[in-house]
């Protein structure tokens, strides 16, 4: 997994833990796109080596997000295989949970923003898939999350996130006081700050062995197509932690999905019974809205999707590109999560709702958040994109302006 930090838009600005008000969290940081490109390339090279057995990334502990890309120790790192710092925090049910109580199991410890709509859902999908990849040995794994959002750290926050991702009973999502959380972040070298654009933190995922020692550190990759590959790497580390003799062999995916670029023809299947799918690429201009069932944590998702009907009616009347909603299936807890939600809410959509089962369209259109809106032209190029929801009136105005250019 690659070192790509997560920023959750929409969170009020504040102060980084341990800094004076108005102090920048860290100087000299690369901008998001440059950092993503660099770490993405490093991730692909490293992953190929890991899967071919040439290098094991668990040999070093990262300091402040630095992770080795070769078998040689980089500056500022030290070996893993050290005792994992113990802590006691409160889970989504209000129970006190200590790391030490899971001795005898392998632990996946992830740092998750309880209001995240970017990389954290990818991390959760990777965690769940890794346990499945282990088969029966998955029963010997405990999933833990530590809240990385100091502005959404109540029990209600971690419970709502757990419920939205269908993980209420499959992990402990832990929180505590600001002092308690800051200590855990510090002990595990997790950078966490409130910035002017939201919450910025290292999406760290630790594997802790049954003896309570740090075994492997991963940093999640913001890639919808690589969920299966990331899960395989995590499952392999868990198998090694549980059985160093190699007696556990998880299912391993050698490759991930492929990005569907804007000018590339593709057809995605419908999630609505008896309805056709949708085609993308040349000759298929669309206003594409990427969504997922877990967005219900952020508000009334059914009402948001129903509100898009107004744009669709205006588009048909004015000859604007029609709307299509795309479900980010690789982050869904189950394939039917969104259709089931709409059925429960008695929502009938007139526009297509299709499934991006591999994450290819999302990666091809460079989706970085959810919801994410993209306008594609008749030639298959991207004309406009928007992070977050927008009113039907705003959509009509922005689409009209983009087409006029």
């Amino acid at each position: 997994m690659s070192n790509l930090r997560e920023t959750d838009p929409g969170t009020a600005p504040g102060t980084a833990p341990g800094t004076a008000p108005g102090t920048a969290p860290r100087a000299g940081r690369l901008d998001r796109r440059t950092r993503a490109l660099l770490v993405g390339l490093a991730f692909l090279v490293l992953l190929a080596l890991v899967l071919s057995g040439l290098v094991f990334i668990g040999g070093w502990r990262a300091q402040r997000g630095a992770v080795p890309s070769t078998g040689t120790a980089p500056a500022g790192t030290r070996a893993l295989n050290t005792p994992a710092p113990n802590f006691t925090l409160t889970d989504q049910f209000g129970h006190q949970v200590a790391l030490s109580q899971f001795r005898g199991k392998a632990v996946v410890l992830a740092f998750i923003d309880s209001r995240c709509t970017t990389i954290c859902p990818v991390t959760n999908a990777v965690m769940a898939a890794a346990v499945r990849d282990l088969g029966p040995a998955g029963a010997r794994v405990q999933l833990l999350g530590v809240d990385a959002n100091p502005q959404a750290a109540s029990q209600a926050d971690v419970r709502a996130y757990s419920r939205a991702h269908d993980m209420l009973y499959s992990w402990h999502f832990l929180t505590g006081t600001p002092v308690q959380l800051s200590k855990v972040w510090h002990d595990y070298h997790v950078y966490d700050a409130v910035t002017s654009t939201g919450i910025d933190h290292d999406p760290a995922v630790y594997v802790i062995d049954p003896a309570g020692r740090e075994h492997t550190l991963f940093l999640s990759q913001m890639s919808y197509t690589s969920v299966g590959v990331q899960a395989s790497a995590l499952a392999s580390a868990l198998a090694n932690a549980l059985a160093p003799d190699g007696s556990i062999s998880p299912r391993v995916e050698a490759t991930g999905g492929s990005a569907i670029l804007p000018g590339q023809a593709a057809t995605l299947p419908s999630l609505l019974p008896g309805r056709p799918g949708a085609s993308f690429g040349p000759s298929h201009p669309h206003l594409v809205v990427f969504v997922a069932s877990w967005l219900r944590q952020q508000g009334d998702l059914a009402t948001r999707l129903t509100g898009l009907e107004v744009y669709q009616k205006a588009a048909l009347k004015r000859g604007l590109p029609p709307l299509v909603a795309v479900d980010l299936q690789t982050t869904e807890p189950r394939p039917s999560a969104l259709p089931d939600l709409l059925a429960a809410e008695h929502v009938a959509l007139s526009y297509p709702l299709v499934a991006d089962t591999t994450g290819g369209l999302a990666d091809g259109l460079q989706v970085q958040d959810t919801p994410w809106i993209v306008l594609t032209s008749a030639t298959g190029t991207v004309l406009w994109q928007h992070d977050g929801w927008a009113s039907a009136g705003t959509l009509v105005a922005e689409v009209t302006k983009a087409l006029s250019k």
Side-chain angles (χ1 to χ4, degrees):
M1 299 183 190
S2 167
N3 180 14
L4 177 64
R5 302 186 192 281
E6 172 269 326
T7 300
D8 182 12
T11 306
T15 304
T19 62
T23 303
R26 183 180 294 177
R29 295 164 63 86
L30 295 175
D31 67 84
R32 181 177 185 176
R33 183 171 297 278
T34 301
R35 188 168 63 228
L37 289 173
L38 291 175
V39 302
L41 289 173
F43 166 76
L44 293 175
V45 172
L46 176 58
L47 185 60
L49 293 173
V50 171
L51 295 177
S52 65
L54 296 178
V55 65
F56 177 56
I57 64 176
W60 305 99
R61 175 173 186 169
Q63 297 284 347
R64 290 297 185 187
V67 68
S69 57
T70 71
T72 304
T77 66
R78 62 183 177 84
L80 283 172
N81 195 33
T82 56
N86 191 36
F87 55 81
T88 300
L89 295 171
T90 305
D91 73 3
Q92 64 268 30
F93 301 107
H95 301 149
Q96 294 292 293
V97 174
L99 175 63
S100 58
Q101 74 188 60
F102 301 109
R103 294 289 172 82
K105 287 189 171 185
V107 174
V108 179
L109 175 63
F111 290 81
I112 302 289
D113 177 353
S114 62
R115 290 183 182 172
C116 177
T117 55
T118 56
I119 200 171
C120 298
V122 174
T123 301
N124 283 118
V126 168
M127 294 167 68
V131 173
R132 292 194 299 269
D133 285 352
L134 285 170
R140 298 167 58 192
V141 174
Q142 177 63 54
L143 302 182
L144 296 181
V146 171
D147 196 349
N149 187 336
Q151 295 186 330
S154 70
Q155 180 191 335
D157 289 317
V158 294
R159 185 178 179 88
Y161 183 95
S162 300
R163 180 184 291 111
H165 290 270
D166 281 4
M167 295 187 69
L168 196 59
Y169 300 103
S170 58
W171 74 339
H172 295 281
F173 192 8
L174 306 174
T175 191
T177 66
V179 172
Q180 289 174 320
L181 289 174
S182 293
K183 185 177 188 305
V184 178
W185 301 336
H186 177 270
D187 287 348
Y188 284 88
H189 306 279
V190 172
Y191 171 84
D192 196 296
V194 182
T195 73
S196 60
T197 56
I199 302 302
D200 187 23
H201 75 91
D202 289 318
V205 180
Y206 280 86
V207 172
I208 299 170
D209 71 19
R213 301 180 72 82
E214 296 173 356
H215 181 277
T216 317
L217 169 63
F218 295 99
L219 292 166
S220 294
Q221 170 74 14
M222 183 63 193
S223 168
Y224 297 99
T225 55
S226 74
V227 167
V229 178
Q230 293 188 67
S232 294
L234 180 57
S236 294
L238 285 166
N240 184 269
L242 288 167
D245 62 358
S247 59
I248 297 177
S249 299
R251 178 175 62 88
V252 175
E253 293 187 21
T255 60
S258 299
I260 301 171
L261 300 177
Q264 196 173 339
T267 299
L268 300 187
S270 177
L271 281 171
L272 302 176
R275 299 274 289 277
S279 296
F280 299 86
S283 303
H284 297 287
H286 285 298
L287 183 64
V288 189
V289 182
F290 289 89
V291 295
S293 64
W294 39 263
L295 282 172
R296 66 186 186 273
Q297 182 195 0
Q298 311 296 328
D300 190 340
L301 177 58
T303 297
R304 288 287 193 178
L305 293 174
T306 302
L308 294 175
E309 296 279 7
V310 178
Y311 169 83
Q312 185 74 335
K313 291 178 181 178
L316 294 175
K317 182 177 180 180
R318 302 187 187 190
L320 300 176
L323 177 75
V324 58
V326 177
D327 185 12
L328 292 168
Q329 288 267 299
T330 56
T331 66
E332 290 284 18
R334 61 185 188 283
S336 64
L338 186 53
D340 289 349
L341 175 64
L342 296 180
E345 297 284 343
H346 305 289
V347 174
L349 302 176
S350 67
Y351 55 84
L353 173 63
V354 298
D356 188 0
T357 58
T358 66
L361 188 67
D363 278 355
L365 294 181
Q366 299 183 14
V367 173
Q368 295 294 311
D369 197 1
T370 315
W372 188 269
I373 305 174
V374 181
L375 174 65
T376 60
S377 71
T379 60
T381 60
V382 173
L383 299 179
W384 176 74
Q385 58 185 4
H386 176 76
D387 184 359
W389 296 109
S391 68
T394 297
L395 292 175
V396 169
E398 293 294 340
V399 168
T400 301
K401 184 195 309 182
L403 292 174
S404 68
K405 295 179 181 179

